[in-house]
Amino acid sequence: MKFENYMTVEFPSRSSNEAFARSAVACFAAQMDPTLEELGDIRTAVSEAVTNCIVHAYPDEYGLITLRCRILKDNILDIVVKDQGVGIEDIEKARKPMYTTGGNDRSGMGITIMESFMTSFELRSTPGKGTVVHMRRRIQKRK
């Protein structure tokens, strides 16, 4: 699929980089002239995806997170968050609201939130090799 613009960044799975990733995507998406609500939804979904990498993909060490954004035709923001961590054993189970492997302090709502805020959502994972979250959000063109 052709794209109008793109960015790719890589960073370690440190919790301080969650805010960086959220801000980087928001700055990139700003060129599409999103509403504040659209921008808030995008920031939240990216935050959830990156937090999942930090908490679940690399529970005992730092690892690499790759974030790619593209602007596609029809005013679609395409976002991929990828890790090379432990992977997800059971994707169907992980997609259920309130399910978490992150302990009692985690809500288990990350995937549900990402899915509800984006136009499309795809989750792929291979145990021992990592996870890819692919999200798209159509930004309404304003007159």
Side-chain angles (χ1 to χ4, degrees):
M1 181 174 278
K2 282 192 108 161
F3 53 89
E4 295 177 17
N5 199 2
Y6 75 96
M7 72 157 194
T8 302
V9 293
E10 294 180 338
F11 48 90
S13 60
R14 295 180 177 273
S15 59
S16 59
N17 285 331
E18 179 272 328
F20 162 73
R22 185 178 60 222
S23 296
V25 172
C27 288
F28 182 79
Q31 65 191 294
M32 300 174 75
D33 196 24
T35 64
L36 289 176
E37 181 179 351
E38 289 170 329
L39 203 53
D41 290 353
I42 291 163
R43 289 171 54 98
T44 300
V46 169
S47 179
E48 292 294 338
V50 171
T51 297
N52 281 351
C53 294
I54 293 166
V55 172
H56 302 289
Y58 304 110
D60 301 319
E61 62 186 4
Y62 291 124
L64 186 66
I65 299 172
T66 303
L67 170 64
R68 185 197 73 204
C69 295
R70 299 182 301 169
I71 297 174
L72 305 178
K73 67 179 184 171
D74 298 327
N75 225 37
I76 295 173
L77 179 65
D78 183 72
I79 304 165
V80 174
V81 179
K82 180 179 179 181
D83 67 63
Q84 299 167 2
V86 301
I88 301 170
E89 290 288 329
D90 186 339
I91 289 179
E92 289 308 310
K93 194 176 202 180
R95 290 181 76 123
K96 292 184 191 244
M98 308 305 286
Y99 175 81
T100 184
T101 60
N104 292 335
D105 61 332
R106 310 305 306 176
S107 72
M109 294 299 293
I111 293 172
T112 302
I113 290 168
M114 287 184 276
E115 195 165 21
S116 68
F117 284 176
M118 304 306 279
T119 306
S120 69
F121 176 85
E122 181 183 342
L123 176 66
R124 296 185 317 272
S125 190
T126 303
K129 294 192 176 185
T131 301
V132 177
V133 172
H134 189 180
M135 305 178 282
R136 289 186 175 168
R137 176 68 184 249
R138 181 180 308 278
I139 304 299
Q140 294 300 314
K141 288 202 178 225
R142 301 195 309 191
K143 297 178 185 201

